[in-house]
Amino acid sequence: MVEKEKNVSINRQCNLLSIHRSGLYYKPRPESEENLHIMRLLDEQYFHTPFYGYRKLTGWLCKKGFCINSRRLKRLMKLMGWQPLFRKPNTSRKNKEHKVYPYLLKDVKITRANQAWGIDITYVPMKKGFLYLCAIIDLHTRYVVNWSISNTMDAKWVRSIAEEAIAQYGRPPIINSDQGSQFPGEEYTSLFTDEKSIGYGIKIPMDGKGRAIDNVFIERLWKSVGYENIYLHAYEDGTQLYEGLKNYFQFYNHHRMHQSPDYKTPASQ
């Protein structure tokens, strides 16, 4: 995008593209092949032992022949957003300056479509590298309302996904999330508190600290996406991943039967 031969100065081009000048020539250092392999194993293991913390995971990996210490493992867990049931790693620690909204779905019966949505982010491994997937699911029908992939867990990105979903399907009374750093911040919450915003008035409860089971339906979605699509395909890059997920969510919404309720598809409810 930035071209040295243009009459417009590099600084001016950076300003127009909202790119910081100091980061123009910076190329992020990619993760090693071993780290990517470890992250892939961790991603699959999460669905079997979501209650494991870094100590048990360190021992588990050492038994598999990896020479890894807790500091390195915690960095990879943070990068992935690993969320043990009893406690979440740094990626989901809230900023003390951010308001945390109380959890409102306890003992609430979700009986109709568009009554409540859930939003969450997960790590997606590829053959080389990884991306993040954010999705919004209707908690009654299990319909995936909207989704997107990104190379960063950015609050602006998450907000845009919610905006698109509301514009297409209307305003649900509730959109539930966890306390991850993207959700309590002003970038995201202003969508629901600003009177001029499309999402104004929607309640945004947040799961209790470390309570992954509060958002159980979208956790089940991540498991389905992993075992029914991502682990079956060694996606080369983001383009392949996007096309693969696009086809999968089309299948998930319109053709995949769910045991509850009554083996119906999400789109048929």
Side-chain angles (χ1 to χ4, degrees):
M1 292 185 292
V2 177
E3 300 181 13
K4 296 182 179 179
E5 305 302 324
K6 294 291 184 181
N7 294 328
V8 182
S9 68
I10 295 295
N11 283 335
R12 178 58 177 163
Q13 291 183 61
C14 288
N15 289 334
L16 291 173
L17 293 170
S18 298
I19 299 173
H20 197 280
R21 178 66 178 81
S22 64
L24 178 59
Y25 302 109
Y26 172 72
K27 292 184 178 180
R29 182 181 179 183
E31 291 293 337
S32 66
E33 290 292 334
E34 183 178 73
N35 280 349
L36 291 174
H37 183 50
I38 290 173
M39 292 165 74
R40 172 65 180 263
L41 292 174
L42 289 173
D43 187 55
E44 295 184 25
Q45 184 64 18
Y46 177 79
F47 297 117
H48 299 292
T49 56
F51 44 84
Y52 272 13
Y54 74 90
R55 292 182 179 88
K56 288 185 177 179
L57 287 173
T58 301
W60 175 74
L61 286 169
C62 287
K63 287 184 178 180
K64 285 186 168 292
F66 293 97
C67 182
I68 187 171
N69 57 34
S70 59
R71 181 178 179 181
R72 177 183 170 196
L73 178 59
K74 285 193 285 187
R75 185 184 71 81
L76 296 179
M77 291 173 67
K78 178 180 178 180
L79 194 61
M80 294 175 61
W82 179 288
Q83 300 177 3
L85 292 183
F86 63 88
R87 189 173 183 178
K88 296 182 180 180
N90 291 344
T91 49
S92 289
R93 285 182 182 172
K94 59 181 181 293
N95 187 320
K96 294 182 179 180
E97 297 180 358
H98 292 164
K99 177 181 179 180
V100 175
Y101 293 77
Y103 185 64
L104 301 177
L105 295 180
K106 185 178 181 180
D107 299 326
V108 173
K109 291 186 178 181
I110 309 298
T111 58
R112 59 179 176 84
N114 222 36
Q115 180 181 351
W117 294 350
I119 184 171
D120 198 12
I121 303 171
T122 192
Y123 156 90
V124 180
M126 295 185 296
K127 191 171 183 179
K128 293 184 178 180
F130 60 92
L131 290 172
Y132 297 106
L133 167 64
C134 178
I136 300 177
I137 188 173
D138 186 292
L139 299 186
H140 176 67
T141 65
R142 314 293 197 271
Y143 189 92
V144 177
V145 179
N146 197 19
W147 64 276
S148 178
I149 55 176
S150 173
N151 59 355
T152 60
M153 292 190 290
D154 181 74
K156 187 176 182 180
W157 166 59
V158 174
R159 177 189 172 116
S160 68
I161 298 169
E163 286 177 323
E164 291 173 3
I166 295 168
Q168 184 172 357
Y169 295 99
R171 294 152 44 96
I174 291 175
I175 300 180
N176 187 66
S177 71
D178 63 17
Q179 295 183 29
S181 59
Q182 300 78 21
F183 299 111
E186 179 68 18
E187 182 74 52
Y188 176 75
T189 59
S190 62
L191 174 61
F192 311 100
T193 57
D194 186 345
E195 293 184 5
K196 298 180 180 179
S197 174
I198 190 174
Y200 176 69
I202 297 175
K203 295 179 180 179
I204 48 174
M206 297 180 181
D207 302 343
K209 184 177 181 181
R211 289 291 305 274
I213 56 174
D214 287 343
N215 216 8
V216 63
F217 296 121
I218 202 162
E219 293 293 335
R220 289 175 181 171
L221 171 65
W222 297 150
K223 186 174 183 178
S224 298
V225 172
Y227 282 106
E228 296 175 10
N229 185 266
I230 293 170
Y231 301 153
L232 299 179
H233 305 279
Y235 290 118
E236 295 280 350
D237 52 37
T239 301
Q240 286 189 9
L241 176 63
Y242 175 83
E243 290 300 324
L245 289 176
K246 180 181 178 181
N247 292 332
Y248 177 77
F249 285 128
Q250 177 71 14
F251 160 75
Y252 183 92
N253 282 337
H254 298 277
H255 303 286
R256 186 184 186 276
M257 296 183 295
H258 293 250
Q259 183 175 354
S260 177
D262 302 327
Y263 291 95
K264 294 180 180 179
T265 64
S268 66
Q269 300 179 60

